[in-house]
Amino acid sequence: MKFLYKILLWTIITLAIALGLSGYFFVNQVFETALDRAVDQALGDSNILQFALETAALNVPTKYDVLQDIAVQEISANLERSSQGSGRLLRVSDEERKTLYASDGFTEDESLLESIADDTVIWQILQQEDSYYIHTGIVVNTMDRNLYLETMENVTRVFDERSAGFSVYRQMTLVMLVSSSVIMFLICTVLTQPIRLLTRATKRMAAGDYDYRARQISNDELGQLTQHFNSMANALEDTIGELRGEIRAREDFIGAFAHELKTPLTSIIGYADLLRSRKLDEEKHFLSSNYIYTEGKRLENMSFRLLDIIVTKREQIDPQPVEADIFFRYLKDMFAGNTEQELYTIYDPGTVYAEVNLLKSVLLNLVDNAFKASSQVGVVEVTGWNTERGYAFQVKDFGVGIPEEELQRVTEAFYMVDKSRSRSRNGAGLGLALCVEILRLHRSELFIESAVGEGTCISFEIPKKQLVEENGGNEEEQ
């Protein structure tokens, strides 16, 4: 059952119970009040009849010492005639509770008569067929006789009024329930509209429409729920977008990795087959072996860098203070055998808070990429200087440069701007991806500026130890 109908149903049930109970108590209270008035009137009339009977008995001629039964009968008949039209019936009994006079239609029930005592007036409600009566009883003491006077007054009108009251109230209750149901249906429709909108939104999102949002039509709790749902939907859409991006990146990574494996493996298999199937002269044998060695080294280098990337994604580092000139001297020693291209280093003395081997790998990759992008007689500049936050490095070449549309992707694994040039120099497109992961551990990042035909400038800043620890701590707290 829909929530709207549940609210409507329980409202109708509650309203019906409330109206039923209130109507019952109201009509019954009116009935009790009217019945009390009728009882008081019947008791009052009984006292009047008692007084009238006593007075009439005193006016009887005193030829007898005791009031005769026939006199009582005459007095009773006169009293009945005097009250014709009132609907009152009476019965008079002697000391033995034997009936001396009774009106036509007076009840034959003598239970009340047996209960009458001196100085008391008793009463009860009697029902005869469809009529109701107030039956009263009282003792009349006159002329040395104790007579029992009973009256029956018709109060059917009071009971009919109660039945009519219940009937009218039932009709009014039915009308009120119908009208209230219509009004409550409209109210519930308005109040539950945010729920229906949320339900529609959840169905659309469950069907894959993650752009759909629930319309907020109020500022109450349901409106806030709608706002929170839309915020959750935005976060979910962002997460799904990120997951899709990661899936695409992973697929691109796998495709590029498979392609990068295929190229050197094809060369290795081809030249290995040539060596084992033919007898070659010394020069061709050397060239074939050299191709196998070169491609094997490229595979080895690619596997090492892949392992480095995987490790850097999982490990934490403990930065230590290192003198900056250690890194520049390391680069000088590494590229000292390069006689065709030149490496210039310009740096300020300072302290770098880093993991030495990882930072050396970053600089080595950047300089190696710079040489690969330069001409055969190119120049690469490495600069270092102190900053307020730490120590900055910059690697600059004057080579082919990177197109602007390629700058966003050069740090992706296996992505190469010039694939033929990179493969010819044993490149696999993993160097910058490794640098990004290492710098992430140092709470730093690469800044790349490049222009086609003018060269590329890549810089990064290693923050001081306290900044690394504070940033690392904040990330953990988040």
Side-chain angles (χ1 to χ4, degrees), residues 88-92 101-109 112 126 128 135-136 149-153:
R88 183 188 306 117
L89 305 176
L90 59 87
R91 180 171 66 182
V92 179
Y101 179 86
S103 301
D104 294 337
F106 200 96
T107 180
E108 296 180 358
D109 182 13
L112 183 76
L126 287 179
Q128 290 184 347
H135 184 192
T136 66
L149 173 64
E150 297 173 81
T151 64
M152 288 178 60
E153 293 203 20

Side-chain angles (χ1 to χ4, degrees), residues 159-445:
F159 286 87
D160 290 343
E161 287 177 354
R162 182 179 68 166
S163 299
F166 280 128
S167 178
V168 171
Y169 200 84
R170 279 194 296 269
Q171 295 175 3
M172 291 182 59
T173 300
L174 183 60
V175 172
M176 292 178 64
L177 285 176
V178 173
S179 59
S180 299
S181 299
V182 174
I183 296 173
M184 281 303 301
F185 179 79
L186 298 176
I187 295 175
C188 292
T189 300
V190 174
L191 292 179
T192 58
Q193 186 177 6
I195 299 178
R196 294 195 300 276
L197 294 175
L198 281 174
T199 303
R200 186 184 308 165
T202 54
K203 289 182 178 179
R204 294 282 294 271
M205 292 190 67
D209 187 3
Y210 300 110
D211 295 330
Y212 189 82
R213 296 293 180 270
R215 182 164 57 93
Q216 183 177 352
I217 59 175
S218 63
N219 294 319
D220 54 10
E221 290 82 358
L222 290 177
Q224 294 176 3
L225 178 62
T226 302
Q227 183 178 2
H228 295 330
F229 175 84
N230 290 335
S231 300
M232 180 192 69
N234 292 332
L236 178 62
E237 185 179 16
D238 294 340
T239 302
I240 292 175
E242 293 175 1
L243 291 175
R244 287 175 175 172
E246 290 181 3
I247 291 173
R248 285 194 299 269
R250 185 173 299 175
E251 291 175 349
D252 294 342
F253 179 89
I254 294 173
F257 181 66
H259 182 75
E260 290 300 323
L261 282 179
K262 179 181 177 181
T263 302
L265 285 176
T266 301
S267 300
I268 292 173
I269 293 172
Y271 282 106
D273 183 62
L274 182 64
L275 288 175
R276 74 182 181 86
S277 61
R278 297 183 184 181
K279 187 175 182 180
L280 304 176
D281 56 35
E282 185 176 351
E283 182 180 359
K284 289 183 179 180
H285 188 280
F286 173 78
L287 290 175
S288 299
S289 301
N290 188 60
Y291 273 119
I292 293 175
Y293 175 78
T294 302
E295 294 302 312
K297 292 296 290 183
R298 192 157 78 89
L299 282 176
E300 181 186 40
N301 184 48
M302 183 169 59
S303 65
F304 285 155
R305 290 192 177 182
L306 279 173
L307 288 174
D308 288 340
I309 291 176
I310 294 173
V311 169
T312 54
K313 284 181 180 292
R314 297 179 180 176
E315 291 184 351
Q316 297 293 326
I317 63 170
D318 182 20
Q320 300 294 329
V322 184
E323 294 300 320
D325 63 341
I326 291 178
F327 299 104
F328 292 95
R329 282 190 279 115
Y330 168 76
L331 294 176
K332 280 289 189 181
D333 294 338
M334 289 297 297
F335 294 96
N338 191 345
T339 57
E340 297 179 350
Q341 297 172 310
E342 296 186 32
L343 176 66
Y344 289 112
T345 58
I346 305 173
Y347 62 93
D348 297 330
T351 301
V352 182
Y353 291 91
E355 205 286 320
V356 178
N357 292 328
L358 290 180
L359 192 55
K360 284 181 179 180
S361 180
V362 171
L363 293 171
L364 182 63
N365 277 288
L366 293 180
V367 174
D368 184 55
N369 287 343
F371 276 129
K372 290 176 181 178
S374 302
S375 61
Q376 294 294 327
V377 291
V379 174
V380 174
E381 295 180 355
V382 182
T383 310
W385 67 94
N386 292 290
T387 66
E388 293 182 0
R389 297 184 71 254
Y391 198 89
F393 293 88
Q394 177 181 285
V395 178
K396 185 176 182 181
D397 67 68
F398 303 91
V400 295
I402 304 173
E404 184 177 356
E405 62 272 12
E406 306 282 351
L407 285 176
Q408 299 297 326
R409 300 195 61 190
V410 293
T411 56
E412 297 179 9
F414 293 113
Y415 187 81
M416 294 175 284
V417 178
D418 188 347
K419 294 179 175 56
S420 60
R421 178 187 295 270
S422 298
R423 291 196 184 98
S424 65
R425 301 193 178 189
N426 293 332
L430 293 171
L432 289 181
L434 177 61
C435 294
V436 169
E437 292 301 327
I438 293 175
L439 291 178
R440 179 183 60 81
L441 295 175
H442 288 81
R443 307 294 182 260
S444 182
E445 58 182 324

